[in-house]
Amino acid sequence: YVYYGEELPENPVCITFDDGYLSNYEAAYPILQKYQMKATIFAIGSSIGHRTYKNTSLPITPHFSWAEAAEMESSGVMDIQSHTYDLHQWAEGEAAVSGAPVRESAAQLEGESDLDYMKILSEDIAVYQKEYMENMGYEYNVLSYPSGKYFVLSEVTAAQNGIKATLTIDSDRKNTIVKGLPQTLFALARFNVTEETTEEELLEKLQYRMFS
């Protein structure tokens, strides 16, 4: 719609998953296939295929493998994109890995210079692109910010590194996307849906038109 002028379907709904859990493959994937629906998964690159945190023995929620990611992508049902490579860190796990400052999101650390921050985010995107290319055969181009945290500098850096859209967890505003204006695909708002969301609450969210 934005880049090529193709019309959107009436009342479009975008289904997204963050983190890249194995349940995306084992549970969500077959359900979407059954109902002929599509979704995008924003996977944490450093966690793909892992059941423990990095090179530690600390258990984490299992994440799907690259082979499973490729299978879902090739089906046309799932689109695999980025939740950063390693900017969604777990404080307890990082304490066992190194003494470096913990980055729980893609936000700039206190006292960190703009240049250093842009370098960190650019390198994270590049590392993920390399691994993604090796396993999927092409590059990703959408970034979901961990914890939804974004800033002008993160948006500029993402765009400079080939990212064409970014997503947050804001839910108090509508997305206004405009043909020919790629910047309207940045900092897109989303509704958060969890296992605690009731059917009534979900229907209420869907009645609120987030796109215009």
Side-chain angles (χ1 to χ4, degrees), residues 126-163:
V127 168
Y128 203 166
Q129 285 290 22
K130 182 178 183 297
E131 196 163 306
Y132 192 98
M133 176 67 77
E134 291 173 351
N135 288 278
M136 305 292 279
Y138 47 89
E139 295 185 339
Y140 70 84
N141 54 26
V142 184
L143 169 65
S144 167
Y145 287 113
S147 303
K149 294 182 179 180
Y150 70 99
F151 307 89
V152 172
L153 201 55
S154 64
E155 294 282 78
V156 170
T157 305
Q160 288 178 343
N161 284 275
I163 301 300

Side-chain angles (χ1 to χ4, degrees), residues 10-200:
E10 185 177 358
N11 297 326
V13 174
C14 299
I15 302 172
T16 65
F17 300 89
D18 282 355
D19 296 332
Y21 297 128
L22 181 60
S23 60
N24 296 157
Y25 176 77
E26 294 182 337
Y29 178 41
I31 291 173
L32 290 164
Q33 287 179 307
K34 177 180 178 180
Y35 291 101
Q36 297 183 320
M37 299 185 73
K38 299 180 179 182
T40 296
I41 302 172
F42 295 96
I44 302 168
S46 62
S47 295
I48 292 178
H50 287 254
R51 293 175 179 268
T52 59
Y53 191 76
K54 297 184 178 177
N55 60 348
T56 74
S57 60
L58 295 173
I60 59 173
T61 303
H63 290 64
F64 56 73
S65 67
W66 277 114
E68 290 161 340
E71 177 190 337
M72 290 189 286
E73 181 83 38
S74 64
S75 73
V77 171
M78 291 292 203
D79 177 33
I80 312 299
Q81 297 290 334
S82 172
H83 203 35
T84 74
Y85 185 79
D86 191 25
L87 299 181
H88 198 7
Q89 298 174 350
W90 177 34
E92 183 179 340
E94 284 301 306
V97 174
S98 70
V102 178
R103 291 184 179 273
E104 296 181 342
S105 72
Q108 189 171 2
L109 296 178
E110 184 176 354
E112 186 173 44
S113 72
D114 290 351
L115 286 178
D116 285 344
Y117 170 70
M118 294 177 72
K119 182 174 182 290
I120 288 290
L121 183 54
S122 296
E123 289 177 347
D124 185 87
I125 292 172
V127 168
Y128 203 166
Q129 285 290 22
K130 182 178 183 297
E131 196 163 306
Y132 192 98
M133 176 67 77
E134 291 173 351
N135 288 278
M136 305 292 279
Y138 47 89
E139 295 185 339
Y140 70 84
N141 54 26
V142 184
L143 169 65
S144 167
Y145 287 113
S147 303
K149 294 182 179 180
Y150 70 99
F151 307 89
V152 172
L153 201 55
S154 64
E155 294 282 78
V156 170
T157 305
Q160 288 178 343
N161 284 275
I163 301 300
K164 297 186 181 297
T166 61
L167 286 78
T168 72
I169 56 172
D170 295 346
S171 61
D172 59 352
R173 59 185 172 83
K174 290 187 177 181
N175 295 317
T176 300
I177 55 177
V178 182
K179 290 180 181 179
L181 290 181
Q183 61 267 38
T184 61
L185 290 174
F186 281 74
L188 295 174
R190 294 185 293 173
F191 287 123
N192 190 31
V193 178
T194 72
E195 66 277 7
E196 298 177 356
T197 303
T198 66
E199 293 180 7
E200 291 75 19

